[in-house]
Amino acid sequence: MGTPAETPGTSPAARASGRADGVLDVVIVGAGPAGTAAAVELARAGADVLVVDKATFPRDKCCGDGLTAMALRHLEHLGLRTDAVASWTDVHRVALHSPSGRVVDLPLPSGPGVHAAVARRRDLDAALVDRARASGARVAEGVTLRGAAADDTGVTLTLDGLTAGGHGPATVRARHVIGADGAWSPLRRALGLGPKGYRGDWHAFRQYAANTDIGPDLHVIFEADLLPGYAWAFPLPDGGANIGFGVLRGGPVAVGDMGPLWRELCARPALADLLGPNSEPDGPLRAWPIPARLGAVPLAEGRVMFVGDAAAVTDPLTGEGIGQALMTGMAAAEALVATAGGRVGDASAHYQAAVRRELDLDHRLGRGLATVLAHGRGTRGALRAADTNDWTRRNFARWMFEDYPRAVIATPHRWARGMFHGAGAYAEEPAAV
């Protein structure tokens, strides 16, 4: 599935691209949300695109599975239908659990459209791969990057699994490459880019659970010993839930202590009451790093651009990264289309400027707020302020779920009529639950 057929007498690149010179317009390394978003946009523009991923889909991906309003709008733009994602679950209310035990209920707008949802990454990513193929991109699964070299005219990639039968390395040449290959980015390492020793800014644990009592609401649980991190319980169909917690790397909880702490958290009333007496694990406990420091790794170099976790653009306040992954993937594609035929480095410069314009101030604000939430007093005060009245509850929910950019007040280029009370995504299509 997804492996280009072999034709005798042609190079692997020519077989993959169908071009006489065997040089593709763009190769995208990684078929998660960032990579498939770039693929859809490029294919729509008529580019010759090949996406490669070491996994075969569907596959599990460590994540909290939450989808903010920003992510939902990008998914709608890409043409993803909610009924293509089996575990898609709309969310209409958020419950914030204070360290003091107080619960603040935040209603999301009742319509039109969807302002928050949950979907297993196994289902979401597979649907996005299908969407990329339907848009005209080629997606080769089970293909591993072994090496990369860039020059002024393009990038040469060495890939395992691309040829028929999946045996032996193949060399592929592309005019541009997009790295959408995660926090550790094998492409970045192969090119010798980025700082050594960067392990992300947060670390998270996730467990799927069955037969829970969580109900339809999304729960965020602030425990004093996790701050500025938090635990979560996100609803999935048929009593299922995505439960977990994230902590700041270098904070009060050491990464090596997260396993024993997880068992204790599940026994605390805030989470135990949500799980209920009949809940049981539904799959293994998994952990993953969260890169959330814009500028910590290169966004681009020459003819190579990095998107999603490979660009460390996860929200530093909440750890949400799907919306940012989709946004950077689309921005990379837009940069390539806008600068086609230009000079070497034009696309990279265009892309970096777009990402900085869209995310830089939001990320700085998020880091500042995370500092406030690192103390129990700050968290309790923030939740009390959010619970002042109906207006504060409704707007805090929209701000939290990126219904509008966090720093929109300070970025006039994003001001638009109705930006504080617009419709959600999928207003024209009923979301499947």
Side-chain angles (χ1 to χ4, degrees):
M1 179 179 179
T3 302
E6 185 171 4
T7 303
T10 59
S11 70
R15 292 194 295 272
S17 69
R19 296 172 62 104
D21 62 2
V23 180
L24 292 91
D25 292 329
V26 186
V27 170
I28 300 171
V29 182
T36 50
V40 170
E41 293 290 81
L42 286 165
R44 284 173 172 174
D48 188 25
V49 184
L50 171 67
V51 187
V52 299
D53 197 294
K54 66 181 180 180
T56 55
F57 292 80
R59 59 94 178 93
D60 187 25
K61 180 71 173 179
C62 290
C63 185
D65 294 340
L67 298 171
T68 63
M70 178 177 74
L72 293 170
R73 290 196 179 96
H74 290 325
L75 291 171
E76 182 179 33
H77 170 80
L78 293 171
L80 181 78
R81 288 189 56 86
T82 61
D83 55 13
V85 183
S87 54
W88 187 282
T89 304
D90 286 353
V91 173
H92 301 290
R93 184 176 294 273
V94 181
L96 302 182
H97 299 247
S98 171
S100 66
R102 175 179 184 165
V103 179
V104 178
D105 289 322
L106 303 178
L108 288 159
S110 58
V114 183
H115 292 80
V118 180
R120 289 179 184 255
R121 286 289 299 277
R122 176 182 176 87
D123 301 331
L124 177 69
D125 290 12
L128 283 169
V129 167
D130 290 343
R131 186 72 201 120
R133 286 197 174 105
S135 298
R138 283 170 299 282
V139 183
E141 302 173 50
V143 175
T144 302
L145 177 74
R146 294 302 183 194
D151 54 48
D152 286 347
T153 61
V155 185
T156 300
L157 303 176
T158 303
L159 304 168
D160 274 352
L162 186 61
T163 56
H167 301 296
T171 299
V172 170
R173 182 77 174 168
R175 291 174 176 80
H176 296 275
V177 171
I178 295 175
D181 49 348
W184 307 125
S185 186
L187 176 64
R188 188 173 63 234
R189 294 201 306 271
L191 293 171
L193 301 174
K196 294 182 180 179
Y198 176 61
R199 297 186 176 184
D201 302 278
W202 294 79
H203 205 79
F205 261 40
R206 182 217 70 192
Q207 171 77 68
Y208 285 119
N211 303 319
T212 74
D213 292 340
I214 183 174
D217 297 343
L218 186 151
H219 296 264
V220 176
I221 304 164
F222 295 100
E223 294 283 322
D225 52 346
L226 300 183
L227 297 175
Y230 61 90
W232 68 79
F234 294 173
L236 287 166
D238 302 319
N242 180 318
I243 56 176
F245 77 109
V247 295
L248 186 66
R249 185 179 287 275
V253 179
V255 171
D257 294 336
M258 292 180 72
L261 178 57
W262 173 241
R263 292 188 288 273
E264 182 192 336
L265 281 173
C266 288
R268 294 182 188 179
L271 192 52
D273 291 348
L274 291 173
L275 295 176
N278 299 316
S279 121
E280 55 187 359
D282 185 17
L285 180 66
R286 297 191 183 278
W288 75 103
I290 299 176
R293 197 190 319 167
L294 182 61
V297 297
L299 286 173
E301 180 71 26
R303 292 180 174 269
V304 181
M305 292 177 281
F306 296 95
V307 297
D309 278 1
V313 293
T314 299
D315 188 323
L317 180 63
T318 65
E320 197 279 330
I322 298 176
Q324 288 77 7
L326 295 166
M327 176 263 152
T328 51
M330 293 163 63
E334 179 186 342
L336 289 171
V337 173
T339 61
R343 298 168 299 176
V344 175
D346 281 356
S348 292
H350 189 289
Y351 169 66
Q352 291 180 86
V355 173
R356 295 285 185 183
R357 184 174 61 251
E358 289 300 312
L359 296 180
D360 188 58
L361 193 56
D362 295 330
H363 272 232
R364 282 190 279 153
L365 176 62
R367 287 195 299 271
L369 291 172
T371 301
V372 173
L373 296 178
H375 306 283
R377 181 178 298 177
T379 300
R380 292 191 297 271
L383 296 189
R384 280 196 300 271
D387 199 27
T388 301
N389 54 50
D390 288 344
W391 185 91
T392 59
R393 284 187 284 272
R394 182 174 60 254
N395 281 279
F396 189 85
R398 297 189 75 152
W399 177 84
M400 180 180 175
F401 280 85
E402 298 176 320
D403 203 6
Y404 45 79
R406 300 209 189 284
V408 68
I409 295 297
T411 49
H413 70 275
R414 297 189 293 195
W415 294 354
R417 185 181 297 276
M419 63 185 179
F420 294 119
H421 48 78
Y426 297 102
E428 301 298 323
E429 176 203 348
V433 178

